Amino acid sequence: MKNGQRPGAGEVVLKTVGLTKRFDKIVAVDGLDVEVRAGEVLGFLGPNGSGKSTTVGMILSLIRPTSGHVELFGQDLTKRRDVIRRRVGAIIETPAFYPYLSGRDNLRALAKAAGGVSDSRIEELLSMVSLTERAGGKFKTYSLGMKQRLGIASTLLTDPALVILDEPTNGLDPAGQREVRGIIPRLATEGRAVLLASHLLNEVEQVCDRVIIIRRGKMVEQGTVGDLLSRGGHLDIEISADEVETALRTLRAVPGVEKVMADETGRRLTVLAETEGRIINKALAERGIYAAAIVPRRGTLEQIFLDLTEGSTPGEQTVDGKAERRQGREG
Amino acid sequence: MLSLLNSELFRLVKRPMPWIMLLILAIGVALLYGALWAVLETASNANDADGLSGNLRIGATTGLGLGLVSTLATILVIIIASSMIGAEYGWGTIRTLLPRASGRMPLAIAKLVTIGLFVTILVAFGYLVSLAMSALVTSAAGLNDDLGDGFVVHSLASVGRVIYTTVPYAALSFMVALWSRSNAAGISVGLAIYLLEDLVLAIIGLAGDAVDWLPDLLLSDNVSAILALNNVEEAGFGGVNPAGGPDPWQAAGTLALWTALFLAIALVIFHRRDVTNE
């Protein structure tokens, strides 16, 4: 693949192999294997201090791995350092620019450093992020949202094949967030690979094709968003309070049921199961229990994320993601 | 490397700091000549007036004017060299810039070349302002306007010597700012060494002759040995230090060794150290 060309759809653009970073005794990243392919948006999730920024730092050669390596476009990064300059665009945490320069001049300065970027490309990007009118203003006078938008424009200066965005909607108002969320999938549609590190799980759910969740530097889950959400689904069942004990015993015996919980009112059961609702209904009916409602609930990424990174159980999180604890008995 | 140099120069030109420095230098030189001219006009002692006339005339610009330029330029260069790298860490722009660079070494070298270009412009500009002010005073006060033989060569050599003697301080402050990731630390250490080295050596000298050799190994005496040639109008690119002390060529070698040491440490740190958000 020559410099400047877009990789073919599905081609592995970024690969980390056993990537590890130790800071003295602290293991920030521990044997991380990640692949990002052209045309996909990969969500990179993890709580604060989980190693996301350190991983991005290693991908961009800002941080030296203790062991393992990074491959960009099939080439070992240590041997082709210049690949980053032309083919990778990144915002690392809060976008940092020269405060005494205007937004436009900041892009010009970076364009000159990278080489081969025209003024018309800069204007095109300023327009794309709705900064044309304020492009002549000093960066230090920009709002956080404007800084974020300038950061996004800077990532695209060299028309990169890999875009790394770390919290790109941080500080944006809802309209700005929606705008950026519209841009991200478009980048992938144009054939780029996008690595999106974000705390906004709703955002990741909306724009990512695949998700990787890391905790303490280790990957704890990965898969397509659809797969992860299907794993986090459950059934809510409403029954009479005096039938709870029987229902719990019955449901625990149904094949495919992983966990059954009752809330404190005793009228609602939450069932984690791969079994369909009609089989649950049949099992209850055979014991003379007729549910008032059986409602399948889709899982959320937030629920799965918290399960994996905080050790909470799915039942401790409501389906709409609010931290409302069910203090019920677990069956 | 050229694209990085292009970016560094673009930012330098757009930055207010270098322009303010040029202004400070011009004002400093203008004030010096203005003040001495005023003194000359009111001097009642003929010997004082003769001494001042000798220094203010255009043929002596490499002594008086360039002497002030040397002091101011060294201070300003310490500030700009430190800022060139320290501010990148302070603003966090090092994390934005490095992924755009073809490598760490090319980026560091582009910065050092930019500092070198700025020093050259600063000293040359200061000298031109000195010449202009001296010409003005020479004309207004009716001083001797003979430039003497080899004035151009002596001017070029003198400007070159001033530039050369600022380089170790620039390298030192660059190294400290890089090591500490702090603009302020680079400036503080650079200025402290520049302004206090003589004082500290004088105090150490009180201990006796046992450490007589020490000043020859440090910066200040070697800088003085080289700059002393600016007062010798026939010195050209060579000459003997009229004030005693180290031989100018030996001094130049010592300064080169210090510069090489500072830059080597800076480049090794920059090459090896992780760039995090600390």
Side-chain angles (χ1 to χ4, degrees):
Chain A
M1 197 163 40
K2 286 180 185 171
N3 196 18
Q5 284 181 338
R6 260 316 135 62
E11 191 175 328
V12 175
V13 168
L14 166 68
K15 186 177 181 181
T16 71
V17 182
L19 201 61
T20 302
K21 180 65 185 181
R22 290 191 186 85
F23 294 106
D24 297 323
K25 289 180 181 174
I26 298 168
V27 182
V29 177
D30 191 358
L32 199 60
D33 297 319
V34 174
E35 276 188 7
V36 191
R37 295 174 182 277
E40 77 169 351
V41 182
L42 177 69
F44 193 43
L45 298 177
N48 287 336
S50 60
K52 296 192 302 293
S53 293
T54 304
T55 304
V56 170
M58 286 191 281
I59 293 167
L60 294 172
S61 277
L62 296 174
I63 297 173
R64 287 170 183 279
T66 307
S67 62
H69 69 276
V70 176
E71 288 175 20
L72 281 171
F73 312 100
Q75 296 171 314
D76 191 330
L77 189 58
T78 54
K79 292 170 188 155
R80 288 296 308 275
R81 169 70 182 74
D82 60 311
V83 168
I84 296 174
R85 183 168 60 118
R86 296 288 312 163
R87 308 201 62 195
V88 180
I91 308 181
I92 312 137
E93 298 171 337
T94 311
F97 291 97
Y98 299 95
Y100 58 89
L101 291 180
S102 67
R104 179 181 283 114
D105 281 345
N106 265 295
L107 293 185
R108 280 185 183 151
L110 292 175
K112 284 174 188 293
V117 180
S118 66
D119 278 353
S120 61
R121 174 68 179 162
I122 290 170
E123 296 305 321
E124 180 191 333
L125 290 170
L126 285 169
S127 170
M128 189 189 91
V129 297
S130 309
L131 270 181
T132 303
E133 281 183 20
R134 287 294 312 276
K138 295 270 189 287
F139 176 74
K140 63 186 172 189
T141 66
Y142 281 15
S143 67
L144 185 55
M146 291 166 73
K147 289 175 180 175
Q148 286 286 6
R149 296 211 298 272
L150 187 67
I152 290 168
S154 77
T155 64
L156 300 174
L157 273 173
T158 55
D159 195 15
L162 170 64
V163 177
I164 299 173
L165 302 171
D166 194 353
E167 306 289 350
T169 56
N170 185 26
L172 295 179
D173 59 23
Q177 289 182 9
R178 194 170 63 178
E179 204 176 320
V180 171
R181 284 174 194 157
I183 292 171
I184 294 170
R186 204 191 319 155
L187 298 177
T189 308
E190 290 167 355
R192 294 182 178 87
V194 182
L195 179 65
L196 173 67
S198 176
H199 288 102
L200 300 177
L201 302 172
N202 184 39
E203 175 176 286
V204 170
E205 200 173 322
Q206 284 178 43
V207 302
C208 292
D209 303 301
R210 280 197 309 129
V211 174
I212 283 178
I213 300 176
I214 66 168
R215 181 189 187 192
R216 293 175 189 165
K218 280 188 173 177
M219 186 193 295
V220 290
E221 189 62 272
Q222 70 168 321
T224 64
V225 172
D227 280 351
L228 290 180
L229 293 179
S230 68
R231 279 183 237 167
H234 65 272
L235 298 168
D236 277 344
I237 302 170
E238 284 184 27
I239 54 170
S240 299
D242 56 356
E243 296 170 332
V244 167
E245 292 302 329
T246 311
L248 285 172
R249 276 199 306 274
T250 304
L251 292 175
R252 271 183 294 182
V254 174
V257 170
E258 294 169 18
K259 196 181 277 185
V260 186
M261 289 166 288
D263 72 359
E264 56 194 353
T265 68
R267 292 171 55 85
R268 177 174 293 176
L269 303 180
T270 298
V271 181
L272 296 183
E274 290 177 2
T275 312
E276 291 176 25
R278 61 185 178 82
I279 295 172
I280 299 285
N281 195 19
K282 185 178 175 218
L284 289 172
E286 283 172 357
R287 291 300 189 99
I289 300 170
Y290 296 96
I294 298 179
V295 183
R297 302 284 189 191
R298 194 166 173 257
T300 66
L301 207 50
E302 182 170 355
Q303 175 190 335
I304 295 158
F305 176 81
L306 291 173
D307 289 348
L308 292 166
T309 59
E310 293 187 352
S312 62
T313 62
E316 290 175 316
Q317 200 68 27
T318 58
V319 285
D320 60 358
K322 291 176 187 167
E324 178 189 300
R325 282 178 179 273
R326 287 199 177 89
Q327 298 172 337
R329 292 164 290 164
E330 197 171 292
Chain B
M1 229 292 277
L2 283 179
S3 57
L4 287 170
L5 185 59
N6 192 9
S7 177
E8 291 295 331
L9 291 174
F10 175 79
R11 279 182 278 125
L12 185 74
V13 169
K14 290 279 183 176
R15 198 172 176 182
M17 182 191 274
W19 297 105
I20 292 169
M21 288 180 168
L22 289 170
L23 188 64
I24 288 170
L25 193 63
I27 290 171
V29 169
L31 283 177
L32 174 75
Y33 276 93
L36 291 179
W37 183 19
V39 171
L40 177 68
E41 292 295 305
T42 57
S44 54
N45 184 314
N47 285 339
D48 289 347
D50 284 349
L52 270 177
S53 299
N55 283 321
L56 285 169
R57 68 187 175 83
I58 192 164
T61 312
T62 55
L64 179 70
L66 203 52
L68 177 70
V69 168
S70 170
T71 304
L72 286 178
T74 305
I75 292 169
L76 297 176
V77 164
I78 285 170
I79 294 169
I80 199 93
S82 181
S83 174
M84 284 287 286
I85 189 70
E88 297 277 11
Y89 283 96
W91 293 325
T93 44
I94 190 74
R95 288 181 288 126
T96 307
L97 186 60
L98 255 185
R100 297 278 174 228
S102 48
R104 292 185 184 210
M105 284 301 105
L107 179 60
I109 290 166
K111 284 188 175 295
L112 292 169
V113 170
T114 305
I115 293 167
L117 286 172
F118 180 70
V119 174
T120 305
I121 290 167
L122 191 70
V123 175
F125 172 76
Y127 184 59
L128 289 175
V129 174
S130 300
L131 276 178
M133 288 306 299
S134 183
L136 190 68
V137 172
T138 298
S139 169
L143 304 178
N144 176 8
D145 60 1
D146 180 24
L147 294 177
D149 293 336
F151 178 75
V152 174
V153 172
H154 182 57
S155 291
L156 288 173
S158 298
V159 167
R161 280 190 283 266
V162 171
I163 292 168
Y164 188 82
T165 54
T166 64
V167 170
Y169 294 101
L172 169 68
S173 52
F174 186 85
M175 178 196 75
V176 174
L178 180 56
W179 171 73
S180 62
R181 303 181 185 96
S182 163
N183 190 11
I187 293 171
S188 306
V189 172
L191 288 181
I193 295 208
Y194 179 60
L195 298 174
L196 300 178
E197 188 189 330
D198 279 340
L199 178 66
V200 172
L201 285 175
I203 293 169
I204 292 172
L206 296 175
D209 297 341
V211 287
D212 270 357
W213 48 270
L214 187 60
D216 284 1
L217 297 180
L218 301 178
L219 298 179
S220 179
D221 273 21
N222 290 302
V223 167
S224 299
I226 292 171
L227 291 181
L229 296 179
N230 288 1
N231 295 311
V232 183
E233 290 180 22
E234 67 277 13
F237 284 97
V240 177
N241 180 0
D247 171 74
W249 286 110
Q250 178 195 320
T254 307
L255 295 185
L257 285 176
W258 277 113
T259 302
L261 177 68
F262 295 146
L263 292 182
I265 293 171
L267 293 176
V268 167
I269 292 170
F270 194 51
H271 182 64
R272 297 177 66 91
R273 193 169 61 191
D274 290 335
V275 177
T276 60
N277 61 346
E278 287 173 34

